[in-house]
Amino acid sequence: MASQEVLREEPSRGSFINDPRVRGIFFQAVVVVVLVAGVWWIAHNVIDNLTRLRIASGFGFLKGRAGFDISESAIAYSSDSTYGRAILVGFLNTVIVAVVGIITATIIGFIVGIGRLSQNWLIRKICTVYVEVFRNIPPLLVIFFWYSGVLAVLPPPRESINLPFGSFLNQRGFYFPRAVWGDGSWLIFVALLVGIAMAWFVARKARQRQMATGQQFPVFWTSAAVIVGLPLLAYVLSGFPLSFDYPKQSTFNLTGGFQVRPEFLSLYLALSCYTAAFIAEIVRAGIRGVSKGQTEAAGALGLRPGSILRLVVVPQAMRIVIPPLTSQYLNLTKNSSLAIAIGYPDLTATAGTVLNQTGQAVEGVVIMMVIYLAISLLTSLVMNWFNAKMALVER
Amino acid sequence: MKHIAIGILGAATLGLMASAASAATLDTVKAKGFIQCGVSTGLAGFSAPDDKGEWQGIDADFCRAVAAAVFGDGTKVKFTPLSAKERFTALQSGEVDILSRNTTWTINRDTALGLNFVGVTYYDGQGFMINAKKLPGVNSALQLSGAAVCVQSGTTTELNLADYFKANKMEYSPVVFEKLEEVNAAYNAGRCDVYTTDQSGLYGIRLTLDSPADHVVLPEIISKEPLGPAVRQGDDQWYHIVKWTYFALLQAEELGITKANVDEMKNSPSPEIKRVLGQEADTKIGTDLGVSNDWVVNIVKAVGNYGEMFDRNVGSGSPLKIARGINALWTKGGLQYSPPIR
């Protein structure tokens, strides 16, 4: 008993300073104190200097009347709205271009990435050229290429190019008919939702049946029929409530219809093309990372090449692909701030205008940084969840 | 992107500046040996580099006048081109000593932004320019409903534009860029139907377009745009030097003192001219201001009087050919008026 007690007391009595745990905590505490003091010192100095220079500070300015217009807005906005709402409009524009860009970049990226591994010489070479071209040009130049090189040389509004379905293309953008939903059109949306729910249910049942009995069911065609057929049926039953508002010539521009502005188009196309080149490389690396034996084994089991890719190679490749894919999504979102060069009203542009109209530089920059950080963290969160879901589950 | 960089730089500078005491601007200017002058990124007649890379224009010359008053040498100026968005942060953070950049004087900028405007070097008003060849029949701004309008972001122009179209119940779609060159390029390429900025600017920009003769400036002036230099708040001495440099330019014109005759004028019998040029015995006008007593002589030798500066840069002696109008001296029916230098 006695000897045990001596042994237990030994480390704490003899060398409190040499205890690695105590030391660890001590140094961490020092770092935290220094960090807090540093941040406090900078913040204190900023406030001090702002007061001394008689510059107004605080976030109260967000409630003021903005007074300027924004060309593209997903929500109701006019010059009577507040500065806060102007920043919100910019934030939504950033989110829109990022989400649409991410979807398109992923689709192009997967096609090109798989294309680079194609047996066909021509497809392989075209995909290689695509990747090498877009990967090696700075994104800003790609944006200028689309804006000044492609869209700006289109004809002026009075000589618009007529496209099918009442659409027009000119240097002010792409115009297409806007759908106007009449009375009873809610039925169509309900039918669409029911269709999607049914398709999901069918897919689930079919999977269960295949697991149990090995029999397959044509899920794709059934789903397509349900998702397209039900809304069509509802459309007919509710008495054709859908009409279109076609773009028409007016004094200056085309009016009516839906306009996709060249600023959005060029930013969207540039971000998609640029990021797709990187995604293609990631996809190629992912597929090459799946050992050749897997493909051969699947082939030996009698699967067709398409099925091998879909059922054996891609699911395993996804585990390699998703983490770097997350970085590319974050890059695309942050690159969208290059919009300022061509006047797309994204977060950087609108918050920058607010910053300038109010002179609240410190607050404006802080708001921008916090919002970009939040968008990026949210993207990472979603992708980490997706990654965990796609991780190899061993049976 | 650059304005963010400047914003952060500004924040960092504000954060790291010694909070207790900041040296007077005059002392720091004298210590570094030149004045850092914030100008535009290129607006003909106001501040734009010529083919030799020298900054020309009323705004650039004003900074030379201040340098002449402080150092007796109008060349001791370094120019910093600033976009509309960057300009205030650059002045607030001390990156420039004077903001002489066709900037409109407003109460908000004088108070909440921590600036002090020293005067109005050019009385301007906002106008519209259209391509008359492409839009025949448009001869008034009230016919512009539905137009796409090119405008520079972060300016009073942007705000006046929104107010004007709203007040007249007209629609428009703004096409907004951060830099003047980007707006010019977009208008030149036909991305928008209308270009709006200060009228003086429109005349200057028209010269740079592909076919200047096709474009007309519409008659409406929709706002008051008094353009003038600004300094930081909280440094009265520097504020006074810059302000009285402006008044000295006006006073010199009023008294007929020009770049050519300034040396003879020193011996003028007129007591007023002698006083202004610092030739009075035991004069303390200059030293009380914090500069030498022959400061007005130096100013006029460097850039001439206000009238000469105007004619050379935007008036009859320039490609812009803008009439003096309300920018004439008060003695000739204009608004330019200097309090007495005594």
Side-chain angles (χ1 to χ4, degrees):
Chain A
M1 287 296 285
S3 65
Q4 266 189 350
E5 272 173 15
V6 169
L7 269 176
R8 219 186 291 160
E9 278 177 20
E10 192 71 57
S12 56
R13 188 217 297 156
S15 55
F16 173 76
I17 296 170
N18 286 332
D19 186 339
R21 275 188 55 225
V22 174
R23 282 187 155 199
I25 292 169
F26 172 73
F27 283 116
Q28 285 182 37
V30 168
V31 168
V32 168
V33 168
V34 168
L35 200 68
V36 169
V39 170
W40 181 86
W41 180 72
I42 288 175
H44 178 79
N45 252 357
V46 169
I47 294 166
D48 239 37
N49 280 307
L50 288 178
T51 332
R52 189 175 52 76
L53 293 168
R54 299 184 183 84
I55 299 170
S57 57
F59 289 92
F61 72 94
L62 288 174
K63 292 200 186 74
R65 178 182 181 270
F68 60 93
D69 283 303
I70 299 177
S71 55
E72 283 177 65
S73 172
I75 52 173
Y77 174 87
S78 76
S79 56
D80 287 329
S81 306
T82 61
Y83 283 121
R85 201 168 173 87
I87 294 179
L88 181 65
V89 168
F91 164 70
L92 289 175
N93 282 339
T94 293
V95 170
I96 290 170
V97 79
V99 168
V100 183
I102 282 174
I103 294 170
T104 316
T106 310
I107 294 171
I108 302 176
F110 269 76
I111 293 173
V112 174
I114 293 172
R116 283 201 73 177
L117 299 169
S118 166
Q119 305 288 329
N120 184 317
W121 182 87
L122 190 63
I123 294 178
R124 206 166 58 232
K125 286 302 162 193
I126 289 175
C127 292
T128 308
V129 168
Y130 175 91
V131 168
E132 292 306 337
V133 166
F134 279 104
R135 194 172 57 162
N136 293 313
I137 299 177
L140 188 60
L141 286 184
V142 182
I143 292 175
F144 280 136
F145 163 73
W146 283 108
Y147 191 64
S148 314
V150 178
L151 296 170
V153 296
L154 289 170
R158 279 154 196 258
E159 297 148 31
S160 304
I161 304 172
N162 286 314
L163 296 174
F165 308 113
S167 317
F168 294 94
L169 190 63
N170 61 36
Q171 65 183 162
R172 304 280 165 81
F174 175 59
Y175 295 75
F176 57 87
R178 184 208 305 268
V180 181
W181 301 98
D183 291 336
S185 50
W186 57 270
L187 203 63
I188 299 172
F189 291 103
V190 171
L192 183 68
L193 285 180
V194 171
I196 292 171
M198 281 175 71
W200 179 77
F201 190 71
V202 165
R204 209 176 111 107
K205 275 285 164 204
R207 203 179 313 123
Q208 281 173 355
R209 196 175 71 153
Q210 192 182 356
M211 287 292 179
T213 67
Q215 285 176 300
Q216 290 191 335
F217 187 76
V219 177
F220 179 79
W221 294 110
T222 321
S223 309
V226 175
I227 291 176
V228 176
L230 278 181
L232 265 180
L233 191 67
Y235 177 57
V236 175
L237 284 180
S238 56
F240 307 98
L242 180 64
S243 60
F244 288 98
D245 171 23
Y246 289 95
K248 287 180 293 290
Q249 280 284 1
S250 72
T251 327
F252 294 103
N253 296 310
L254 299 172
T255 49
F258 195 87
Q259 180 192 10
V260 184
R261 285 165 211 274
E263 287 81 24
F264 173 81
L265 265 183
S266 42
L267 181 68
Y268 156 66
L269 290 173
L271 289 179
S272 304
C273 293
Y274 176 76
T275 313
F278 290 89
I279 293 179
E281 284 300 272
I282 292 169
V283 168
R284 188 171 69 106
I287 292 173
R288 294 294 286 271
V290 178
S291 97
K292 207 173 175 222
Q294 297 277 336
T295 317
E296 289 169 354
L301 285 174
L303 288 177
R304 276 168 297 174
S307 303
I308 295 176
L309 198 64
R310 192 163 53 87
L311 297 172
V312 178
V313 177
V314 170
Q316 297 187 72
M318 284 304 267
R319 287 180 301 133
I320 311 172
V321 167
I322 291 172
L325 203 57
T326 311
S327 315
Q328 290 308 321
Y329 289 175
L330 295 178
N331 272 347
L332 189 146
T333 311
K334 287 180 288 179
N335 282 343
S336 72
S337 63
L338 293 170
I340 193 143
I342 51 163
Y344 175 71
D346 76 327
L347 176 65
T348 316
T350 50
T353 305
V354 169
L355 180 157
N356 187 250
Q357 296 291 7
T358 58
Q360 310 283 328
V362 179
E363 290 86 348
V365 172
V366 166
I367 289 174
M368 277 190 261
M369 292 201 298
V370 167
I371 293 180
Y372 275 114
L373 188 67
I375 296 176
S376 295
L377 288 179
L378 197 70
T379 313
S380 300
L381 210 65
V382 171
M383 290 304 286
N384 284 345
W385 167 81
F386 188 56
N387 192 25
K389 198 172 137 60
M390 292 300 288
L392 194 63
V393 185
E394 290 181 4
R395 281 195 269 196
Chain B
M1 289 312 289
K2 202 183 161 201
H3 71 278
I4 297 199
I6 289 207
I8 293 168
L9 190 78
T13 324
L14 289 171
L16 297 175
M17 257 190 315
S19 57
S22 71
T25 311
L26 181 62
D27 296 339
T28 54
V29 161
K30 277 187 173 159
K32 65 184 172 182
F34 59 89
I35 289 172
Q36 195 75 45
C37 173
V39 288
S40 75
T41 50
L43 177 63
F46 287 83
S47 45
D50 63 11
D51 48 7
K52 293 181 206 75
E54 297 272 320
W55 285 87
Q56 303 296 347
I58 281 199
D59 288 341
D61 277 353
F62 183 79
C63 283
R64 293 198 176 96
V66 178
V70 173
F71 298 109
D73 180 355
T75 61
K76 293 197 168 168
V77 186
K78 287 193 180 170
F79 294 97
T80 306
L82 299 167
S83 79
K85 271 184 174 178
E86 296 157 357
R87 54 187 165 177
F88 301 123
T89 318
L91 181 61
Q92 287 166 347
S93 62
E95 201 190 326
V96 296
D97 302 310
I98 305 174
L99 182 69
S100 181
R101 191 207 164 281
N102 52 292
T103 298
T104 306
W105 186 354
T106 68
I107 185 169
N108 174 52
R109 291 170 178 177
D110 242 2
T111 54
L113 262 60
L115 314 182
N116 269 338
F117 279 83
V118 302
V120 181
T121 47
Y122 188 95
Y123 286 96
D124 209 342
Q126 184 176 340
F128 296 101
M129 177 163 65
I130 58 160
N131 187 332
K133 211 170 166 192
K134 278 190 196 158
L135 298 169
V138 177
N139 48 30
S140 159
L142 293 168
Q143 293 169 296
L144 293 179
S145 189
V149 183
C150 275
V151 62
Q152 197 179 3
S153 69
T155 54
T156 49
T157 316
E158 199 184 4
L159 306 178
N160 297 331
L161 172 70
D163 288 354
Y164 182 76
F165 274 77
K166 192 181 165 67
N168 290 296
K169 301 199 173 51
M170 299 193 296
E171 302 263 304
Y172 75 105
S173 72
V175 182
V176 181
F177 294 92
E178 194 197 351
K179 294 210 163 61
L180 200 66
E181 311 90 85
E182 292 163 358
V183 194
N184 296 350
Y187 177 73
N188 209 5
R191 172 64 187 92
C192 46
D193 309 294
V194 185
Y195 194 135
T196 183
T197 186
D198 300 339
Q199 265 204 342
S200 60
L202 290 178
Y203 285 108
I205 289 153
R206 191 168 64 166
L207 295 176
T208 67
L209 297 173
D210 286 344
S211 48
D214 290 352
H215 300 266
V216 293
V217 176
L218 296 175
E220 282 86 356
I221 289 191
I222 65 164
S223 69
K224 289 190 286 188
E225 304 288 341
L227 309 181
V231 295
R232 276 181 296 279
Q233 272 184 24
D235 187 347
D236 283 354
Q237 184 190 32
W238 183 244
Y239 172 62
H240 287 145
I241 290 174
V242 179
K243 180 164 73 175
W244 282 95
T245 301
Y246 161 60
F247 287 142
L249 286 163
L250 295 181
Q251 193 66 52
E253 187 186 4
E254 198 180 326
L255 297 175
I257 306 168
T258 65
K259 204 172 176 175
N261 71 7
V262 58
D263 278 327
E264 315 162 22
M265 281 293 210
K266 278 190 206 164
N267 309 316
S268 161
S270 153
E272 192 179 7
I273 292 178
K274 276 193 143 164
R275 183 167 60 242
V276 167
L277 293 180
Q279 303 302 315
E280 222 175 29
D282 298 330
T283 179
K284 281 173 71 188
I285 292 176
T287 45
D288 283 348
L289 189 59
V291 296
S292 67
N293 279 322
D294 57 351
W295 61 295
V296 181
V297 177
N298 293 333
I299 290 172
V300 176
K301 271 188 181 164
V303 298
N305 63 36
Y306 178 77
E308 291 177 282
M309 215 163 93
F310 191 99
D311 286 342
R312 184 172 64 238
N313 293 309
V314 296
S316 48
S318 75
L320 295 174
K321 309 256 182 278
I322 299 175
R324 276 298 280 274
I326 51 174
N327 286 298
L329 288 184
W330 64 288
T331 48
K332 290 177 186 150
L335 293 173
Q336 295 291 2
Y337 182 102
S338 162
I341 296 183
R342 69 184 308 146

